[in-house]
Every structure is written in C-alpha cells, then in structure tokens.
Amino acid sequence: SRALQLIILTTARTSEILLAKRSEIDLTNDIWTIPAERVKTKKEHVIPITEHMKSIIERQIKKYSSELLFPGSRYGKPLSNMTCLKVMKDLGYTTLDDNGSKGHFVPHGFRSTFSTWAFENGDHSFEIIESCLGHNVGNSVHRAYQRSTLLDRRRMLLKDWSAFVTGTVNE
C-alpha cells in the first residue's frame, strides 16, 4: 500500500516507484532524482518530496535494509508491478457497482486524476502540471531554452495535491 500511496502522491509511474533506490533520494533537500534510463522521456526526472511522501519513504528505509525502496520477496528484486493493482482490487476498486457496471481502476489512472484535478483547482500552469508528470513540455526550441526544473513551483503543486488526496486541505 505504501508503493501505491507514493504513486498517487508523486504522480510517478509504477515502474519508477517500484525501482526507486535509496541512493536516488535526498531527504536533506527533499528531492528524488530518477535517472534518465528509468524515465520514459529518457531524461533525468527530479521529484520534490512533500511531508507525506517523506513519511512513507522514511518508513520504508527503516523497515528494509535493501537498496530498493520497495523490495520484493526475492532478494534484489522489486515488488511485482501487479502488487499495486492487487492492493486496489483488495480495496474494492475492481468490482461491480450498484448499476451492475464493472469499475476497473489502475494505479496509472492516478496520473490522469492528478492532471484533471490540477487543471481544475488552483492556478497551476500547463508547464508545471506536465513537468510534475515527467512529460516533455513544448517543442524542441522551447526545451532548448527552458532549462529550469521549476522545482519550487512543482513542490507547491505537489503539496496542494498531497493535501487534497490525504484530506488535510484545511490543516
């Protein structure tokens, strides 16, 4: 469930979470740097760590001695990519509703949920939202000139998202 929670809070892809390593996480500066070879865009992706994320990460580090943040049952291997889907299924997110229609939700869908929520709530720009998702923004000329990671603005958006999904908006 902690891996699923981090998928939701970070807006990262399932594989990025399951393959996360301690050495990628800087809890002093509250950033997680995913190396380019594990990112769909093939560019290093830096994710600002919020307090809720940090709490989950610290619990994982305390619980496991593995370099992997989410080690599987086989030494040196991460959790299966089906683990988070099973958690969702066990919570009832793949069931028949009162109308008889089958609801099927997957962890990746939280990325879409985040994007929709971010566009509808607050004044976060397209560029900030897409950057949180690790997407390339703009054409090649724009990307050549735009070298900022927009880290502080992304941190603010992810804090807002974290407050929303954890129900701590008014705290």
Side-chain angles (χ1 to χ4, degrees):
S1 69
R2 289 183 190 152
L4 181 60
Q5 290 173 50
L6 269 188
I7 289 169
I8 296 166
L9 292 169
T10 63
T11 74
R13 291 175 175 84
T14 301
S15 63
E16 294 168 343
I17 294 292
L18 297 181
L19 294 172
K21 297 178 181 174
R22 289 174 182 239
S23 56
E24 299 167 356
I25 297 169
D26 177 353
L27 292 176
T28 302
N29 295 305
D30 293 331
I31 58 172
W32 170 31
T33 304
I34 307 171
E37 61 269 12
R38 286 212 337 268
V39 180
K40 190 174 182 179
T41 61
K42 300 300 179 199
K43 288 174 40 183
E44 180 181 274
H45 182 54
V46 178
I47 296 177
I49 297 174
T50 65
E51 287 304 313
H52 283 97
M53 292 177 208
K54 191 172 190 172
S55 172
I56 293 166
I57 291 166
E58 287 173 337
R59 282 186 280 162
Q60 287 301 110
I61 288 171
K62 186 176 180 181
K63 185 172 183 175
Y64 300 103
S65 61
S66 169
E67 170 65 3
L68 289 168
L69 203 56
F70 294 99
S73 57
R74 297 181 67 199
Y75 181 78
K77 300 288 184 185
L79 285 176
S80 162
N81 63 356
M82 296 304 289
T83 302
C84 293
L85 183 61
K86 180 165 179 1
V87 169
M88 291 180 71
K89 184 176 180 181
D90 290 349
L91 291 170
Y93 289 101
T94 305
T95 59
L96 293 177
D97 65 16
D98 292 339
N99 299 323
S101 69
K102 188 168 185 160
H104 181 72
F105 302 94
V106 296
H108 193 80
F110 285 105
R111 290 169 52 83
S112 175
T113 302
F114 163 78
S115 180
T116 302
W117 174 89
F119 279 112
E120 291 182 351
N121 295 276
D123 53 0
H124 305 288
S125 71
F126 172 81
E127 189 171 44
I128 301 304
I129 295 166
E130 290 295 298
S131 294
C132 282
L133 291 166
H135 292 162
N136 285 328
V137 180
N139 61 27
S140 59
V141 173
H142 172 82
R143 289 193 303 271
Y145 284 91
Q146 164 52 339
R147 295 191 179 115
S148 171
T149 62
L150 306 167
L151 191 64
D152 290 336
R153 293 176 66 193
R154 290 188 297 121
R155 186 180 307 280
M156 288 174 44
L157 173 53
L158 288 177
K159 281 182 180 179
D160 290 348
W161 171 243
S162 179
F164 172 72
V165 299
T166 62
T168 58
V169 174
N170 296 320
E171 290 182 12

